[in-house]
């Protein structure tokens, strides 16, 4: 099957599409009108800078904003900026994250807020198509622009750093000038791309939560009352309503009477807790939709007015807050998964041997899954620490605030695996509990199909044994599309 094509126009790219392009699941096209808009901006920019001082073109940057760049130094100023700003440190950014950065930056440039050479746009598109990547280091941003990462991209475009990977040799180096350097770096494209990748993966896992929870509820013969339409119509939070409707759909064929008046929080409060995570994911997706399609260059060219606007649109405060909110929401959902795991291992709820063991002879069964799940949960708890609590004053005091969204994006990327492992531990236990009780989800719908697929892939033995493979297999099943 041929991969789909997405047209980059600076207006309509989504986080999910960024992820598909970054992972080679789709191909890109450039919108001809957007490309022509970039091409036509240079003469306008030249007229503006001929009549007024413009940051980064006729002046230095940061604390050097009051310094005038002499006419004789203008031609070399762009490369000096790229060299001085490209000092990233730490590990090299993984390939798919680098591709996500290139995709986001390319789309933003097509929005038309800069007079960058159209050859830069074409070369980034070519690199994505042919698989050539710059070497980008992870550390060097504080949520006010990924200067070092994009500086490394600039030096690679100029031929001072090598491309890596890809099919065939890279094209000849570009001659970059002051019109290209600051505009190229004036973005949080790496942070945005990383956030898009993590949000895409976690959005998929969040959609798996109701399936796993519904299997647990089926194994326990729990109550479906917490998901009733009436309950959520009277407290209509969007995420809670969405989760409740999904659970009603999955459990539509439920044919049992619950033995308890009401269940523990892991089942009873699922709409409230997981619903909050769904709302946080939706809020993050909306922020990413804006950022991916934003013209953020400082200064920002207004071609219609033939002027530049100096501004702070590169600051990722809104994204930093959305990332913090989502990681905290994700933690709540994971905590409920560990509580349901504990319920499944408790004979008072299942009528089975402790830890879903083979027999009540001291066998440990799935006991270790609680340790494993709590260990992964601890990683999620650490990652949920709000990065927006951070503060920085840099560049001789003229840049006196930072969002640290770049750190928040890395923490969210780390959370993908840990969240999947927490959920996998519950899935292993739910499948075993259903098997030991001789139960299957009622009806022939999605829940029954998901259970049968999981039961087929997971080891059915209840004997004491190493469980690493089981949990990793369950995690792979949850991550699969």
């Amino acid at each position: 099957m041929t991969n789909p094509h997405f047209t980059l126009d600076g207006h309509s790219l989504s986080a999910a599409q960024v992820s598909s392009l970054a992972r080679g699941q789709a191909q890109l096209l450039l919108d001809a009108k957007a490309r022509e808009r970039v091409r036509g901006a240079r003469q306008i920019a030249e007229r503006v800078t001929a009549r007024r001082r413009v940051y980064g073109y006729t002046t230095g940057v940061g604390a050097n904003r009051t310094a005038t760049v002499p006419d004789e130094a203008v031609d070399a100023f762009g490369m000096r900026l790229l060299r001085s700003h490209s000092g990233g440190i730490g590990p090299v950014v993984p390939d798919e994250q680098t591709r996500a950065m290139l995709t986001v930056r390319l789309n933003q440039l097509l929005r038309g807020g800069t007079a960058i050479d159209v050859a830069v746009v074409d070369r980034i598109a070519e690199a994505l198509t042919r698989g050539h990547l710059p070497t980008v280091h992870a550390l060097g941003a504080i949520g006010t622009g990924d200067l070092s990462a994009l500086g490394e991209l600039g030096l690679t475009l100029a031929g001072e750093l090598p491309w890596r990977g890809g099919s065939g040799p890279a094209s000849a180096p570009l001659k970059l000038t002051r019109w290209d350097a600051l505009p190229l770096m004036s973005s949080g494209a790496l942070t945005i791309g990383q956030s898009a990748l993590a949000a895409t993966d976690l959005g998929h896992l969040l959609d798996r939560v109701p399936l796993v929870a519904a299997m647990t509820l089926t194994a326990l013969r729990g109550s479906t009352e917490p998901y009733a339409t009436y309950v959520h119509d009277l407290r209509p939070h969007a995420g809670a309503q969405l989760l409740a409707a999904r659970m009603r759909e999955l459990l539509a064929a439920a044919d049992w009477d619950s033995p308890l008046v009401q269940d523990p929080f892991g089942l009873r409060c699922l709409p409230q807790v997981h619903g909050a995570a769904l709302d946080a994911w939706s809020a993050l997706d909306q922020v990413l939709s804006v950022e991916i399609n934003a013209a953020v260059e400082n200064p920002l060219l207004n071609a219609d007015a033939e002027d530049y606007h100096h501004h702070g649109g590169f600051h990722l405060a809104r994204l930093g807050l959305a990332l913090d909110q989502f990681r905290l929401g994700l933690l709540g959902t994971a905590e409920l998964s560990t509580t349901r795991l504990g319920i499944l291992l408790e004979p008072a709820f299942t009528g089975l041997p402790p830890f879903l063991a083979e027999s009540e002879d001291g066998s440990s069964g799935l006991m270790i899954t609680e340790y494993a799940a709590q260990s992964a949960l601890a990683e999620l708890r650490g990652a949920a620490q709000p990065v927006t609590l951070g503060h920085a004053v840099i560049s001789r005091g003229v840049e006196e605030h930072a969002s640290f969204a770049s750190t928040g994006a890395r923490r969210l990327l780390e959370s993908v695996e840990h969240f999947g492992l927490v959920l996998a531990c519950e899935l292993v236990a739910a499948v075993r509990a259903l098997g030991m009780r001789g139960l299957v989800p009622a009806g022939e719908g999605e829940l029954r199909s998901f259970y049968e697929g999981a039961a087929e892939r997971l080891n059915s033995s209840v004997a004491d044994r190493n469980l690493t493979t089981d949990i990793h297999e369950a995690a792979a099943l949850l991550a699969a599309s």
Side-chain angles (χ1 to χ4, degrees):
M1 184 174 66
T2 304
N3 287 337
H5 287 79
F6 298 134
T7 299
L8 275 60
D9 59 7
H11 292 272
S12 59
L13 194 63
S14 69
Q17 290 171 336
V18 169
S19 298
S20 293
L21 288 165
R23 289 165 172 160
Q25 299 164 347
Q27 300 177 49
L28 67 85
L29 297 172
L30 299 186
D31 180 81
K33 290 183 178 179
R35 183 179 177 279
E36 192 58 33
R37 186 164 57 242
V38 174
R39 180 192 291 278
R42 177 63 59 83
Q43 290 184 343
I44 297 171
E46 289 174 347
R47 289 197 292 270
V48 177
T49 56
R51 72 170 189 265
R52 61 168 293 194
R53 286 163 59 86
V54 179
Y55 176 84
Y57 297 108
T58 66
T59 76
V61 300
N64 291 330
R65 68 196 185 285
T66 59
T68 299
V69 178
D71 291 341
E72 63 271 18
V74 162
D75 288 342
F77 183 60
M79 288 304 300
R80 285 165 45 204
L81 276 182
L82 291 172
R83 292 174 189 133
S84 62
H85 283 66
S86 61
I89 59 175
V92 172
V93 172
D95 288 357
E96 73 170 26
Q97 295 176 31
T98 304
R99 286 193 290 268
M101 178 190 80
L102 295 178
T103 301
V104 170
R105 194 67 194 108
L106 176 59
N107 190 65
Q108 290 177 328
L109 289 170
L110 289 167
R111 187 64 188 261
T114 172
I116 199 168
D117 194 325
V118 73
V120 175
V121 169
D122 291 340
R123 189 60 52 82
I124 296 174
E126 178 187 279
L128 280 165
T129 300
R130 298 176 61 182
H132 297 132
L133 296 175
T135 297
V136 174
H137 292 86
L139 304 180
I142 56 175
T144 56
D146 294 323
L147 299 175
S148 62
L150 292 167
E152 288 172 316
L153 168 61
L155 290 184
T156 306
L157 290 165
E160 291 195 5
L161 292 176
W163 294 99
R164 56 187 178 83
S167 57
S171 297
L174 296 176
K175 182 180 180 181
L176 302 182
T177 69
R178 61 171 173 164
W179 302 109
D180 309 309
L182 183 59
L184 183 63
M185 294 189 292
S186 193
S187 163
L190 176 59
T191 298
I192 297 163
Q194 290 172 324
S195 300
L197 290 168
T200 299
D201 291 342
L202 286 166
H204 175 75
L205 287 174
L206 291 178
D207 191 55
R208 298 302 218 196
V209 169
L211 287 164
V212 178
M215 285 173 53
T216 295
L217 187 139
T218 300
L220 298 170
R221 290 322 205 209
S223 173
T224 60
E225 291 180 20
Y227 314 111
T229 301
Y230 180 78
V231 171
H232 296 283
D233 281 350
L234 295 183
R235 192 173 184 244
H237 289 296
Q241 289 184 308
L242 184 65
L243 184 279
R246 182 108 157 90
M247 292 294 282
R248 289 195 302 271
E249 179 184 6
L250 293 172
L251 297 164
D255 55 1
W256 63 82
D257 293 322
S258 177
L260 297 176
V261 174
Q262 59 182 19
D263 294 323
F265 278 17
L267 293 166
R268 182 158 45 106
C269 297
L270 181 61
Q272 291 72 35
V273 177
H274 185 57
L278 294 176
D279 286 339
W281 181 91
S282 180
L284 174 59
D285 189 58
Q286 291 175 27
V287 171
L288 286 172
S289 180
V290 171
E291 298 294 349
I292 290 166
N293 297 287
V296 294
E297 297 81 18
N298 178 44
L300 186 67
L301 179 65
N302 184 337
D304 293 335
E306 294 210 359
D307 206 355
Y308 272 104
H309 298 278
H310 297 91
H311 66 99
F314 50 83
H315 194 297
L316 292 176
R318 188 66 188 87
L319 179 58
L321 286 168
L323 289 166
D324 279 355
Q325 181 187 26
F326 181 44
R327 293 196 315 280
L328 287 165
L330 192 69
L331 176 63
T333 288
E335 288 170 338
L336 280 200
S337 181
T338 63
T339 69
R340 292 191 299 272
L341 174 61
I343 297 167
L344 286 166
L345 304 186
E346 174 52 54
F349 291 102
T350 64
L352 298 170
F355 307 115
L356 301 179
E358 189 171 22
S359 61
E360 297 187 44
D361 60 358
S363 296
S364 295
L366 296 181
M367 179 186 69
I368 199 62
T369 60
E370 284 195 287
Y371 288 77
Q374 290 292 339
S375 178
L377 184 65
E379 297 297 316
L380 288 171
R381 189 175 295 115
Q385 175 74 13
V387 301
T388 49
L389 293 174
H391 182 57
V393 178
I394 59 174
S395 195
R396 297 172 59 195
V398 302
E399 297 176 9
E400 69 279 23
H401 190 267
S403 72
F404 290 95
S406 46
T407 304
R410 290 193 297 272
R411 296 295 88 83
L412 191 63
L413 282 166
E414 295 166 5
S415 298
V416 174
E417 181 179 11
H418 297 132
F419 182 74
L421 289 170
V422 169
L423 202 58
C425 289
E426 182 189 354
L427 176 57
V428 167
V431 169
R432 181 180 287 203
L434 286 166
M436 292 177 72
R437 297 194 72 179
L439 302 173
V440 295
E444 299 296 331
E446 182 184 3
L447 183 61
R448 176 70 169 269
S449 176
F450 181 73
Y451 165 73
E452 289 175 347
E456 182 179 351
R457 286 182 63 170
L458 298 178
N459 191 332
S460 61
S461 171
V462 297
D464 283 352
R465 55 189 169 77
N466 181 285
L467 294 166
T468 302
T469 299
D470 298 64
I471 297 170
H472 286 176
E473 186 71 20
L477 175 64
L478 291 166
S481 59

